[in-house]
Protein backbone atom coordinates (compact mmCIF):
# COMPACT_ATOMS: atom_id res chain seq x y z
CA UNK A 1 0.00 0.00 0.00
CA UNK A 2 2.86 2.39 0.87
CA UNK A 3 4.49 1.62 -2.48
CA UNK A 4 1.25 2.36 -4.32
CA UNK A 5 0.86 5.68 -2.49
CA UNK A 6 4.44 6.61 -3.39
CA UNK A 7 3.80 5.87 -7.08
CA UNK A 8 0.64 8.00 -7.01
CA UNK A 9 2.53 10.86 -5.33
CA UNK A 10 5.30 10.74 -7.94
CA UNK A 11 2.77 10.75 -10.79
CA UNK A 12 0.90 13.66 -9.19
CA UNK A 13 4.09 15.67 -8.82
CA UNK A 14 5.05 14.88 -12.41
CA UNK A 15 1.66 16.02 -13.74
CA UNK A 16 1.78 19.19 -11.62
CA UNK A 17 5.27 19.98 -12.88
CA UNK A 18 4.19 19.41 -16.49
CA UNK A 19 1.21 21.75 -16.10
CA UNK A 20 3.28 24.67 -14.78
CA UNK A 21 6.52 23.87 -16.64
CA UNK A 22 8.61 27.00 -16.92
CA UNK A 23 10.12 28.11 -20.19
CA UNK A 24 12.68 30.75 -20.98
CA UNK A 25 13.79 32.95 -23.83
CA UNK A 26 17.31 34.38 -23.99
CA UNK A 27 18.53 36.12 -27.13
CA UNK A 28 22.27 36.07 -27.66
CA UNK A 29 22.47 39.85 -28.05
CA UNK A 30 20.10 42.79 -28.30
CA UNK A 31 18.99 43.75 -31.79
CA UNK A 32 20.21 47.34 -31.43
CA UNK A 33 22.03 49.54 -28.96
CA UNK A 34 23.16 53.14 -28.58
CA UNK A 35 25.42 55.05 -26.20
CA UNK A 36 24.27 58.67 -25.91
CA UNK A 37 26.42 61.49 -24.57
CA UNK A 38 24.93 64.73 -23.28
CA UNK A 39 27.08 67.76 -22.56
CA UNK A 40 25.43 70.52 -20.57
CA UNK A 41 22.21 71.66 -22.19
CA UNK A 42 23.22 70.47 -25.66
CA UNK A 43 21.29 67.79 -27.49
CA UNK A 44 22.51 64.23 -26.85
CA UNK A 45 24.48 62.47 -29.58
CA UNK A 46 25.52 58.90 -30.36
CA UNK A 47 25.37 56.26 -33.08
CA UNK A 48 23.17 53.21 -33.57
CA UNK A 49 24.82 49.80 -33.32
CA UNK A 50 23.19 46.81 -35.05
CA UNK A 51 24.14 43.37 -33.73
CA UNK A 52 24.99 40.74 -36.28
CA UNK A 53 28.45 39.43 -35.62
CA UNK A 54 31.03 38.78 -32.91
CA UNK A 55 32.17 42.37 -32.45
CA UNK A 56 30.22 44.15 -29.72
CA UNK A 57 30.51 47.70 -28.41
CA UNK A 58 31.70 48.78 -24.97
CA UNK A 59 29.61 51.60 -23.56
CA UNK A 60 30.12 54.06 -20.73
CA UNK A 61 27.48 54.94 -18.13
CA UNK A 62 27.75 57.75 -15.56
CA UNK A 63 29.12 61.27 -15.23
CA UNK A 64 32.40 61.86 -17.04
CA UNK A 65 33.13 65.54 -16.33
CA UNK A 66 31.89 68.67 -14.61
CA UNK A 67 30.77 70.18 -17.95
CA UNK A 68 28.60 68.26 -16.97
CA UNK A 69 28.96 65.35 -19.34
CA UNK A 70 26.68 62.35 -18.86
CA UNK A 71 26.45 59.01 -20.64
CA UNK A 72 23.47 56.65 -20.86
CA UNK A 73 23.28 53.24 -22.53
CA UNK A 74 20.28 51.94 -24.48
CA UNK A 75 19.49 48.40 -25.64
CA UNK A 76 16.60 47.15 -27.74
CA UNK A 77 15.24 43.60 -28.15
CA UNK A 78 12.63 42.76 -30.79
CA UNK A 79 10.57 39.91 -29.35
CA UNK A 80 7.83 38.15 -31.32
CA UNK A 81 4.83 36.15 -30.11
CA UNK A 82 6.65 33.02 -31.21
CA UNK A 83 9.53 33.76 -28.84
CA UNK A 84 7.39 34.87 -25.90
CA UNK A 85 3.70 34.04 -26.58
CA UNK A 86 1.23 36.80 -25.92
CA UNK A 87 -0.63 34.56 -23.44
CA UNK A 88 2.53 33.81 -21.44
CA UNK A 89 2.75 34.71 -17.77
CA UNK A 90 6.20 36.19 -17.15
CA UNK A 91 7.62 34.85 -13.90
CA UNK A 92 10.82 36.88 -13.86
CA UNK A 93 13.34 38.77 -15.98
CA UNK A 94 17.07 38.63 -15.37
CA UNK A 95 19.44 41.17 -16.89
CA UNK A 96 23.14 40.36 -16.86
CA UNK A 97 26.15 42.32 -18.06
CA UNK A 98 29.84 42.74 -17.37
CA UNK A 99 30.90 46.09 -15.93
CA UNK A 100 34.40 47.49 -15.40
CA UNK A 101 35.58 49.80 -12.61
CA UNK A 102 36.72 53.20 -13.85
CA UNK A 103 36.78 55.37 -10.78
CA UNK A 104 34.24 53.86 -8.39
CA UNK A 105 33.60 50.37 -7.11
CA UNK A 106 30.09 50.24 -5.65
CA UNK A 107 26.98 52.18 -6.61
CA UNK A 108 23.62 51.67 -8.38
CA UNK A 109 22.16 51.87 -11.86
CA UNK A 110 18.64 52.95 -12.75
CA UNK A 111 16.71 51.07 -15.44
CA UNK A 112 14.13 52.76 -17.65
CA UNK A 113 11.62 51.69 -20.26
CA UNK A 114 12.42 54.00 -23.14
CA UNK A 115 9.67 52.76 -25.51
CA UNK A 116 11.20 54.15 -28.72
CA UNK A 117 12.57 52.16 -31.67
CA UNK A 118 16.32 52.72 -31.78
CA UNK A 119 16.41 51.73 -35.45
CA UNK A 120 13.94 54.44 -36.46
CA UNK A 121 15.81 56.74 -38.89
CA UNK A 122 13.75 59.63 -37.50
CA UNK A 123 14.52 58.80 -33.88
CA UNK A 124 14.47 61.89 -31.65
CA UNK A 125 17.50 61.37 -29.41
CA UNK A 126 16.43 64.10 -27.02
CA UNK A 127 13.16 62.27 -26.40
CA UNK A 128 15.08 59.02 -25.97
CA UNK A 129 17.39 60.66 -23.44
CA UNK A 130 14.50 62.13 -21.53
CA UNK A 131 12.98 58.65 -21.10
CA UNK A 132 16.19 57.68 -19.24
CA UNK A 133 16.40 60.87 -17.16
CA UNK A 134 15.25 60.32 -13.56
CA UNK A 135 14.19 63.96 -13.34
CA UNK A 136 11.71 63.47 -16.19
CA UNK A 137 10.75 59.79 -15.99
CA UNK A 138 10.37 57.17 -13.29
CA UNK A 139 12.80 54.23 -13.40
CA UNK A 140 11.21 50.77 -13.67
CA UNK A 141 13.92 49.28 -11.47
CA UNK A 142 17.44 49.62 -10.15
CA UNK A 143 20.39 47.41 -9.35
CA UNK A 144 23.54 47.39 -7.23
CA UNK A 145 26.84 47.64 -9.09
CA UNK A 146 29.95 46.13 -7.53
CA UNK A 147 33.11 46.34 -9.63
CA UNK A 148 36.48 45.61 -8.04
CA UNK A 149 39.28 47.47 -9.87
CA UNK A 150 40.60 46.53 -13.30
CA UNK A 151 38.53 43.47 -14.23
CA UNK A 152 35.15 43.18 -15.89
CA UNK A 153 32.76 41.69 -13.31
CA UNK A 154 29.37 40.14 -14.03
CA UNK A 155 26.37 42.06 -12.68
CA UNK A 156 23.03 40.28 -12.38
CA UNK A 157 19.68 41.79 -11.48
CA UNK A 158 16.41 39.86 -11.23
CA UNK A 159 12.90 41.32 -11.44
CA UNK A 160 9.91 39.16 -10.55
CA UNK A 161 6.30 39.00 -11.68
CA UNK A 162 4.36 42.00 -10.41
CA UNK A 163 7.38 44.31 -10.29
CA UNK A 164 7.40 47.60 -12.20
CA UNK A 165 10.13 46.23 -14.43
CA UNK A 166 8.13 43.14 -15.49
CA UNK A 167 4.86 45.07 -15.84
CA UNK A 168 6.51 47.70 -18.02
CA UNK A 169 8.21 45.01 -20.11
CA UNK A 170 4.83 43.31 -20.71
CA UNK A 171 3.27 46.61 -21.78
CA UNK A 172 6.06 47.14 -24.31
CA UNK A 173 5.64 43.71 -25.83
CA UNK A 174 1.88 44.10 -26.05
CA UNK A 175 2.16 47.44 -27.83
CA UNK A 176 5.29 47.14 -29.93
CA UNK A 177 6.75 43.60 -29.78
CA UNK A 178 9.96 45.17 -28.52
CA UNK A 179 11.61 46.38 -25.34
CA UNK A 180 14.00 49.32 -25.18
CA UNK A 181 16.01 49.50 -21.96
CA UNK A 182 17.76 52.65 -20.79
CA UNK A 183 20.58 52.52 -18.21
CA UNK A 184 21.81 55.51 -16.19
CA UNK A 185 23.81 56.07 -13.00
CA UNK A 186 21.31 56.40 -10.18
CA UNK A 187 23.04 59.38 -8.50
CA UNK A 188 24.10 61.49 -11.48
CA UNK A 189 23.58 65.22 -11.00
CA UNK A 190 25.40 68.47 -11.68
CA UNK A 191 26.73 68.37 -8.10
CA UNK A 192 27.75 64.70 -8.06
CA UNK A 193 31.28 63.39 -8.42
CA UNK A 194 32.55 62.33 -11.82
CA UNK A 195 31.89 58.57 -11.62
CA UNK A 196 31.28 56.16 -14.48
CA UNK A 197 31.66 52.54 -15.63
CA UNK A 198 32.31 50.64 -18.83
CA UNK A 199 29.78 47.95 -19.65
CA UNK A 200 29.48 45.19 -22.21
CA UNK A 201 26.13 44.42 -23.94
CA UNK A 202 23.26 43.56 -21.64
CA UNK A 203 21.95 40.01 -21.71
CA UNK A 204 18.20 39.57 -21.21
CA UNK A 205 16.61 36.31 -20.04
CA UNK A 206 12.85 35.96 -19.67
CA UNK A 207 11.35 33.17 -17.60
CA UNK A 208 7.69 32.45 -18.32
CA UNK A 209 5.02 29.80 -18.34
CA UNK A 210 1.93 29.25 -20.44
CA UNK A 211 -1.30 29.18 -18.43
CA UNK A 212 -3.77 26.37 -18.91
CA UNK A 213 -7.27 26.49 -20.34
CA UNK A 214 -9.85 24.14 -18.89
CA UNK A 215 -11.55 22.26 -21.74
CA UNK A 216 -14.28 19.61 -21.54
CA UNK A 217 -14.19 16.79 -24.09
CA UNK A 218 -17.71 15.63 -24.80
CA UNK A 219 -19.65 13.49 -27.26
CA UNK A 220 -23.43 13.44 -27.76
CA UNK A 221 -26.18 11.85 -29.78
CA UNK A 222 -28.69 14.05 -31.59
CA UNK A 223 -30.96 13.80 -28.51
CA UNK A 224 -28.10 15.29 -26.44
CA UNK A 225 -27.35 12.06 -24.53
CA UNK A 226 -23.66 11.39 -23.94
CA UNK A 227 -22.35 8.38 -25.81
CA UNK A 228 -19.23 6.34 -26.57
CA UNK A 229 -15.61 7.24 -25.92
CA UNK A 230 -13.09 9.83 -27.09
CA UNK A 231 -9.34 9.80 -27.60
CA UNK A 232 -6.66 12.48 -27.81
CA UNK A 233 -3.21 12.41 -29.35
CA UNK A 234 -0.74 11.58 -26.60
CA UNK A 235 2.42 11.81 -28.73
CA UNK A 236 4.16 9.56 -31.21
CA UNK A 237 5.28 7.03 -28.60
CA UNK A 238 1.74 6.40 -27.31
CA UNK A 239 -0.48 7.50 -30.19
CA UNK A 240 -4.13 8.18 -29.44
CA UNK A 241 -5.35 7.48 -25.91
CA UNK A 242 -5.23 3.73 -25.24
CA UNK A 243 -8.08 1.82 -23.51
CA UNK A 244 -10.16 2.55 -21.53
CA UNK A 245 -10.11 5.80 -23.56
CA UNK A 246 -11.80 9.04 -22.41
CA UNK A 247 -15.35 9.29 -21.08
CA UNK A 248 -17.52 12.10 -22.48
CA UNK A 249 -17.62 15.05 -20.09
CA UNK A 250 -13.99 14.64 -18.98
CA UNK A 251 -12.18 17.93 -18.31
CA UNK A 252 -8.58 18.63 -19.29
CA UNK A 253 -6.21 21.54 -18.65
CA UNK A 254 -4.54 22.32 -21.98
CA UNK A 255 -1.84 25.00 -22.42
CA UNK A 256 -3.18 28.09 -24.14
CA UNK A 257 -2.24 28.31 -27.83
CA UNK A 258 -1.38 24.61 -27.88
CA UNK A 259 -2.79 22.39 -30.62
CA UNK A 260 -4.73 19.39 -29.36
CA UNK A 261 -5.81 16.60 -31.69
CA UNK A 262 -9.00 14.85 -30.60
CA UNK A 263 -10.73 11.82 -32.09
CA UNK A 264 -14.42 11.17 -31.63
CA UNK A 265 -15.79 7.64 -31.48
CA UNK A 266 -15.93 6.01 -34.92
CA UNK A 267 -18.54 3.40 -34.02
CA UNK A 268 -22.32 3.46 -34.53
CA UNK A 269 -24.53 4.03 -31.49
CA UNK A 270 -28.34 3.92 -31.56
CA UNK A 271 -28.30 4.23 -35.35
CA UNK A 272 -26.07 7.33 -35.24
CA UNK A 273 -22.43 8.05 -36.07
CA UNK A 274 -20.02 10.98 -35.86
CA UNK A 275 -21.00 13.92 -38.05
CA UNK A 276 -19.08 17.03 -36.87
CA UNK A 277 -17.31 18.85 -34.04
CA UNK A 278 -19.06 21.71 -32.21
CA UNK A 279 -21.67 22.06 -34.99
CA UNK A 280 -18.90 23.18 -37.35
CA UNK A 281 -19.70 21.62 -40.72
CA UNK A 282 -16.97 23.42 -42.63
CA UNK A 283 -14.43 20.81 -41.52
CA UNK A 284 -15.84 17.44 -40.49
CA UNK A 285 -12.57 15.54 -40.19
CA UNK A 286 -12.29 13.20 -37.23
CA UNK A 287 -9.65 13.19 -35.75
CA UNK A 288 -9.22 16.94 -35.81
CA UNK A 289 -6.72 19.54 -34.64
CA UNK A 290 -7.93 22.30 -32.31
CA UNK A 291 -6.04 25.47 -31.37
CA UNK A 292 -6.73 26.06 -27.67
CA UNK A 293 -7.63 29.68 -26.98
CA UNK A 294 -9.21 31.49 -24.04
CA UNK A 295 -12.57 30.93 -25.78
CA UNK A 296 -12.15 27.14 -26.03
CA UNK A 297 -14.33 25.75 -23.26
CA UNK A 298 -15.60 22.49 -24.72
CA UNK A 299 -15.04 20.26 -27.74
CA UNK A 300 -18.11 18.20 -28.58
CA UNK A 301 -18.22 15.33 -31.06
CA UNK A 302 -21.73 15.48 -32.53
CA UNK A 303 -23.55 12.34 -33.71
CA UNK A 304 -26.43 12.30 -36.20
CA UNK A 305 -28.71 9.51 -37.51
CA UNK A 306 -27.16 7.44 -40.30
CA UNK A 307 -29.27 5.40 -42.74
CA UNK A 308 -28.11 1.95 -43.94
CA UNK A 309 -30.75 1.10 -46.56
CA UNK A 310 -29.39 3.14 -49.45
CA UNK A 311 -28.55 1.67 -52.86
CA UNK A 312 -26.41 3.27 -55.57
CA UNK A 313 -26.36 1.45 -58.90
CA UNK A 314 -26.39 1.44 -62.66
CA UNK A 315 -29.83 0.93 -64.23
CA UNK A 316 -29.44 -0.92 -67.52
CA UNK A 317 -31.86 -0.21 -70.33
CA UNK A 318 -34.57 -2.85 -70.87
CA UNK A 319 -33.27 -5.07 -68.07
CA UNK A 320 -34.28 -5.12 -64.42
CA UNK A 321 -30.68 -5.72 -63.50
CA UNK A 322 -27.53 -3.84 -62.71
CA UNK A 323 -23.86 -4.23 -63.46
CA UNK A 324 -20.66 -2.39 -64.22
CA UNK A 325 -19.19 0.16 -61.83
CA UNK A 326 -20.39 3.25 -60.02
CA UNK A 327 -18.43 5.94 -58.14
CA UNK A 328 -19.24 7.49 -54.77
CA UNK A 329 -17.66 10.31 -52.75
CA UNK A 330 -18.31 10.23 -48.98
CA UNK A 331 -16.81 12.98 -46.76
CA UNK A 332 -17.40 10.79 -43.68
CA UNK A 333 -15.81 7.54 -44.92
CA UNK A 334 -13.04 6.55 -42.51
CA UNK A 335 -10.35 5.47 -44.93
CA UNK A 336 -7.31 7.75 -44.65
CA UNK A 337 -4.23 6.59 -42.68
CA UNK A 338 -2.99 9.93 -41.38
CA UNK A 339 0.85 9.92 -41.46
CA UNK A 340 0.96 12.84 -39.01
CA UNK A 341 -0.74 10.71 -36.37
CA UNK A 342 0.74 7.25 -36.58
CA UNK A 343 -1.38 6.31 -39.63
CA UNK A 344 -4.52 6.37 -37.49
CA UNK A 345 -7.55 6.24 -39.77
CA UNK A 346 -9.82 9.25 -40.24
CA UNK A 347 -12.28 10.62 -42.77
CA UNK A 348 -11.25 13.32 -45.23
CA UNK A 349 -14.15 15.77 -45.37
CA UNK A 350 -14.45 17.41 -48.77
CA UNK A 351 -10.97 16.19 -49.68
CA UNK A 352 -12.46 12.69 -49.99
CA UNK A 353 -11.86 11.06 -53.40
CA UNK A 354 -14.41 9.28 -55.54
CA UNK A 355 -14.14 5.54 -55.03
CA UNK A 356 -15.18 3.02 -57.65
CA UNK A 357 -17.61 0.39 -56.43
CA UNK A 358 -19.36 -2.56 -58.14
CA UNK A 359 -22.98 -1.90 -59.06
CA UNK A 360 -25.21 -2.30 -57.10
CA UNK A 361 -23.39 -0.66 -54.19
CA UNK A 362 -24.66 -0.59 -50.60
CA UNK A 363 -23.10 1.99 -48.22
CA UNK A 364 -24.62 0.23 -45.22
CA UNK A 365 -23.44 -0.40 -41.66
CA UNK A 366 -21.33 -3.51 -42.21
CA UNK A 367 -20.45 -4.25 -45.86
CA UNK A 368 -16.71 -3.93 -46.42
CA UNK A 369 -15.33 -2.73 -49.74
CA UNK A 370 -11.62 -3.56 -49.58
CA UNK A 371 -11.67 -2.52 -45.92
CA UNK A 372 -13.93 0.51 -46.37
CA UNK A 373 -17.12 0.34 -44.30
CA UNK A 374 -19.44 3.27 -44.93
CA UNK A 375 -21.66 2.84 -41.83
CA UNK A 376 -24.66 4.34 -43.59
CA UNK A 377 -25.23 7.83 -44.96
CA UNK A 378 -26.69 11.04 -43.56
CA UNK A 379 -29.87 12.47 -45.02
CA UNK A 380 -30.31 16.04 -46.23
CA UNK A 381 -26.65 17.00 -46.63
CA UNK A 382 -27.29 19.90 -49.01
CA UNK A 383 -24.39 21.68 -50.80
CA UNK A 384 -23.94 25.35 -49.99
CA UNK A 385 -22.88 27.37 -53.06
CA UNK A 386 -21.41 30.00 -50.74
CA UNK A 387 -19.42 27.50 -48.70
CA UNK A 388 -17.63 24.83 -50.76
CA UNK A 389 -16.21 23.30 -47.57
CA UNK A 390 -19.62 22.29 -46.26
CA UNK A 391 -19.73 18.53 -46.81
CA UNK A 392 -22.07 16.72 -49.20
CA UNK A 393 -22.16 13.43 -51.06
CA UNK A 394 -21.45 13.04 -54.78
CA UNK A 395 -22.01 10.28 -57.33
CA UNK A 396 -20.21 9.73 -60.60
CA UNK A 397 -20.77 7.45 -63.58
CA UNK A 398 -18.53 6.45 -66.47
CA UNK A 399 -19.56 7.89 -69.82
CA UNK A 400 -19.20 4.48 -71.46
CA UNK A 401 -19.00 1.04 -69.85
CA UNK A 402 -18.56 -2.45 -71.26
CA UNK A 403 -20.98 -4.62 -69.29
CA UNK A 404 -21.59 -8.33 -69.70
CA UNK A 405 -25.23 -9.42 -69.93
CA UNK A 406 -26.04 -13.01 -69.04
CA UNK A 407 -29.25 -12.72 -71.09
CA UNK A 408 -27.27 -12.34 -74.31
CA UNK A 409 -24.01 -13.95 -73.22
CA UNK A 410 -22.16 -10.91 -74.63
CA UNK A 411 -20.38 -7.72 -73.63
CA UNK A 412 -22.34 -4.60 -74.50
CA UNK A 413 -21.43 -0.95 -74.50
CA UNK A 414 -23.63 1.15 -72.25
CA UNK A 415 -23.77 4.93 -72.42
CA UNK A 416 -24.70 7.22 -69.54
CA UNK A 417 -28.04 9.02 -69.97
CA UNK A 418 -28.94 10.63 -66.63
CA UNK A 419 -29.48 10.12 -62.90
CA UNK A 420 -32.76 9.26 -61.22
CA UNK A 421 -34.03 8.16 -57.84
CA UNK A 422 -36.49 5.52 -56.78
CA UNK A 423 -38.95 6.06 -55.25
CA UNK A 424 -39.34 9.40 -56.97
CA UNK A 425 -38.16 12.26 -54.77
CA UNK A 426 -36.10 10.04 -52.47
CA UNK A 427 -32.93 11.81 -53.65
CA UNK A 428 -32.12 15.11 -55.33
CA UNK A 429 -29.36 15.83 -57.84
CA UNK A 430 -27.64 19.12 -58.53
CA UNK A 431 -27.35 18.17 -62.21
CA UNK A 432 -29.09 14.93 -63.14
CA UNK A 433 -27.63 15.00 -66.67
CA UNK A 434 -24.02 15.30 -65.56
CA UNK A 435 -21.67 12.33 -65.17
CA UNK A 436 -20.66 13.72 -61.78
CA UNK A 437 -23.10 15.46 -59.46
CA UNK A 438 -23.75 16.21 -55.79
CA UNK A 439 -26.58 14.07 -54.44
CA UNK A 440 -28.83 14.63 -51.43
CA UNK A 441 -30.42 11.54 -49.92
CA UNK A 442 -33.92 12.47 -48.79
CA UNK A 443 -35.21 9.28 -47.20
CA UNK A 444 -34.34 5.83 -45.98
CA UNK A 445 -34.55 3.16 -48.69
CA UNK A 446 -33.62 5.50 -51.55
CA UNK A 447 -32.11 3.99 -54.69
CA UNK A 448 -29.90 6.32 -56.69
CA UNK A 449 -29.30 5.08 -60.20
CA UNK A 450 -27.29 6.02 -63.25
CA UNK A 451 -29.47 5.24 -66.23
CA UNK A 452 -27.45 3.60 -69.01
CA UNK A 453 -28.48 2.97 -72.63
CA UNK A 454 -26.96 -0.05 -74.33
CA UNK A 455 -26.13 -0.86 -77.96
CA UNK A 456 -27.76 -3.67 -79.95
CA UNK A 457 -30.58 -3.96 -77.42
CA UNK A 458 -33.56 -1.95 -78.64
CA UNK A 459 -34.62 0.62 -81.16
CA UNK A 460 -36.72 2.32 -78.50
CA UNK A 461 -34.65 5.40 -77.71
CA UNK A 462 -37.34 6.62 -75.32
CA UNK A 463 -36.87 3.80 -72.85
CA UNK A 464 -35.67 6.34 -70.30
CA UNK A 465 -36.67 9.96 -70.36
CA UNK A 466 -34.22 12.47 -68.98
CA UNK A 467 -37.09 14.13 -67.14
CA UNK A 468 -38.30 11.11 -65.19
CA UNK A 469 -37.95 10.35 -61.50
CA UNK A 470 -35.58 13.12 -60.52
CA UNK A 471 -35.52 16.47 -58.78
CA UNK A 472 -32.93 19.22 -58.84
CA UNK A 473 -31.13 20.50 -55.75
Amino acid sequence: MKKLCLVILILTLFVSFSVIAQQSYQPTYPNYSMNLTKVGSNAPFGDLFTYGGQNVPIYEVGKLSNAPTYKHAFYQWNISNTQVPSVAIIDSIVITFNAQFVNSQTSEFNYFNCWLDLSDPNLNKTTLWNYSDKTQNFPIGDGLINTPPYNYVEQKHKFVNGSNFVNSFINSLQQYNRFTLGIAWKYESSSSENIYWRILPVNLKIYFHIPNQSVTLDQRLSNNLQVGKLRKWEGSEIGFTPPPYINPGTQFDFPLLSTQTIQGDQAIYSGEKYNNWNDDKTDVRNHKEFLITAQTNQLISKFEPTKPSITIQNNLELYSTSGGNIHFKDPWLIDFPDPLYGNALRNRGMDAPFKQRPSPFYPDYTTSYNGDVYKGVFLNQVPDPNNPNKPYYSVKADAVQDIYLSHTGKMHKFYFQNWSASPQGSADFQNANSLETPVVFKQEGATVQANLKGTQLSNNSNAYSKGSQRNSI
Side-chain angles (χ1 to χ4, degrees):
M1 183 65 181
K2 289 183 178 179
K3 184 176 181 180
L4 177 60
C5 291
L6 179 60
V7 170
I8 294 173
L9 176 61
I10 292 172
L11 287 173
T12 302
L13 290 174
F14 174 77
V15 171
S16 299
F17 175 77
S18 298
V19 169
I20 60 172
Q22 192 176 64
Q23 303 178 49
S24 66
Y25 172 65
Q26 182 178 19
T28 304
Y29 291 114
N31 295 91
Y32 307 103
S33 66
M34 188 176 290
N35 199 187
L36 290 186
T37 302
K38 190 174 192 310
V39 180
S41 59
N42 296 321
F45 60 90
D47 295 326
L48 175 70
F49 183 86
T50 302
Y51 291 79
Q54 297 300 315
N55 295 325
V56 296
I58 298 174
Y59 288 164
E60 294 176 332
V61 174
K63 182 181 178 184
L64 278 69
S65 73
N66 289 326
T69 301
Y70 306 114
K71 286 207 169 189
H72 294 180
F74 302 87
Y75 300 91
Q76 177 179 317
W77 295 267
N78 296 337
I79 301 173
S80 69
N81 284 335
T82 302
Q83 294 157 336
V84 178
S86 58
V87 299
I89 294 177
I90 295 178
D91 301 309
S92 63
I93 297 174
V94 177
I95 60 173
T96 309
F97 55 91
N98 287 329
Q100 184 188 49
F101 172 96
V102 176
N103 53 7
S104 182
Q105 179 171 328
T106 303
S107 193
E108 293 179 78
F109 280 173
N110 273 338
Y111 300 117
F112 298 87
N113 186 344
C114 295
W115 300 101
L116 303 180
D117 182 358
L118 299 184
S119 64
D120 183 353
N122 299 314
L123 174 69
N124 187 315
K125 294 177 181 177
T126 297
T127 303
L128 178 65
W129 180 275
N130 291 342
Y131 274 128
S132 67
D133 185 344
K134 66 181 180 181
T135 66
Q136 302 187 62
N137 192 25
F138 290 106
I140 60 174
D142 55 37
L144 181 68
I145 303 298
N146 186 20
T147 54
Y150 311 118
N151 296 322
Y152 277 94
V153 179
E154 183 181 81
Q155 316 295 315
K156 182 178 290 187
H157 302 135
K158 179 178 181 179
F159 303 93
V160 299
N161 180 275
S163 65
N164 289 336
F165 191 104
V166 171
N167 289 342
S168 187
F169 176 86
I170 292 171
N171 288 337
S172 274
L173 291 199
Q174 290 175 341
Q175 294 186 55
Y176 304 113
N177 286 329
R178 68 171 183 263
F179 177 60
T180 303
L181 177 69
I183 303 178
W185 179 34
K186 187 172 184 177
Y187 303 107
E188 70 176 23
S189 70
S190 58
S191 61
S192 67
E193 297 181 69
N194 298 331
I195 295 175
Y196 66 101
W197 293 259
R198 297 186 183 95
I199 63 172
L200 292 173
V202 173
N203 180 277
L204 184 77
K205 188 168 186 178
I206 306 148
Y207 293 91
F208 63 92
H209 69 273
I210 306 299
N212 288 329
Q213 174 72 9
S214 182
V215 180
T216 299
L217 301 187
D218 206 351
Q219 187 163 256
R220 294 182 181 263
L221 295 171
S222 58
N223 62 7
N224 208 37
L225 288 178
Q226 289 181 327
V227 68
K229 300 282 187 176
L230 299 108
R231 305 169 74 190
K232 67 183 182 72
W233 182 249
E234 309 285 359
S236 56
E237 292 187 5
I238 298 176
F240 281 98
T241 309
Y245 309 124
I246 299 168
N247 289 323
T250 301
Q251 195 172 76
F252 290 88
D253 288 332
F254 294 133
L256 278 173
L257 299 187
S258 67
T259 297
Q260 301 295 326
T261 303
I262 315 297
Q263 184 184 83
D265 207 318
Q266 297 178 335
I268 298 171
Y269 293 92
S270 302
E272 300 191 10
K273 68 176 182 178
Y274 162 85
N275 181 272
N276 67 81
W277 283 98
N278 284 6
D279 294 319
D280 176 13
K281 294 199 174 185
T282 62
D283 181 2
V284 297
R285 290 175 299 170
N286 177 37
H287 41 269
K288 185 176 178 181
E289 297 176 344
F290 296 93
L291 177 66
I292 304 302
T293 71
Q295 287 71 49
T296 310
N297 297 311
Q298 58 183 0
L299 301 173
I300 307 177
S301 167
K302 296 291 190 78
F303 276 45
E304 292 185 7
T306 176
K307 304 302 181 181
S309 300
I310 301 293
T311 303
I312 303 172
Q313 65 180 25
N314 293 319
N315 185 29
L316 307 184
E317 178 191 29
L318 297 182
Y319 293 93
S320 57
T321 185
S322 185
N325 295 309
I326 203 83
H327 305 263
F328 186 51
K329 177 178 178 178
D330 182 354
W332 289 275
L333 175 64
I334 302 166
D335 68 336
F336 178 64
D338 192 338
L340 297 178
Y341 296 98
N343 290 321
L345 291 178
R346 65 163 171 83
N347 63 316
R348 312 194 207 192
M350 286 310 291
D351 290 330
F354 278 99
K355 291 202 167 185
Q356 180 177 286
R357 301 301 182 206
S359 173
F361 159 56
Y362 307 102
D364 56 26
Y365 286 170
T366 58
T367 304
S368 176
Y369 295 89
N370 300 319
D372 292 341
V373 180
Y374 284 81
K375 301 178 182 178
V377 301
F378 298 113
L379 301 183
N380 301 310
Q381 303 300 306
V382 182
D384 183 349
N386 299 315
N387 184 4
N389 292 320
K390 183 182 178 183
Y392 55 86
Y393 298 104
S394 293
V395 288
K396 185 170 75 170
D398 295 325
V400 182
Q401 292 193 58
D402 291 320
I403 299 175
Y404 176 80
L405 296 181
S406 59
H407 306 74
T408 66
K410 297 179 181 179
M411 296 290 291
H412 294 265
K413 285 191 180 297
F414 283 85
Y415 297 86
F416 172 79
Q417 301 297 297
N418 55 44
W419 294 95
S420 65
S422 178
Q424 187 171 1
S426 60
D428 291 342
F429 305 92
Q430 190 172 81
N431 187 348
N433 297 318
S434 176
L435 287 172
E436 175 185 326
T437 179
V439 59
V440 178
F441 301 101
K442 305 292 287 185
Q443 68 183 55
E444 174 78 289
T447 296
V448 168
Q449 53 196 24
N451 298 311
L452 307 183
K453 180 178 176 61
T455 58
Q456 301 176 339
L457 295 176
S458 170
N459 292 324
N460 183 4
S461 61
N462 296 317
Y464 291 95
S465 169
K466 290 187 178 182
S468 66
Q469 296 186 340
R470 59 182 170 83
N471 295 316
S472 296
I473 296 173

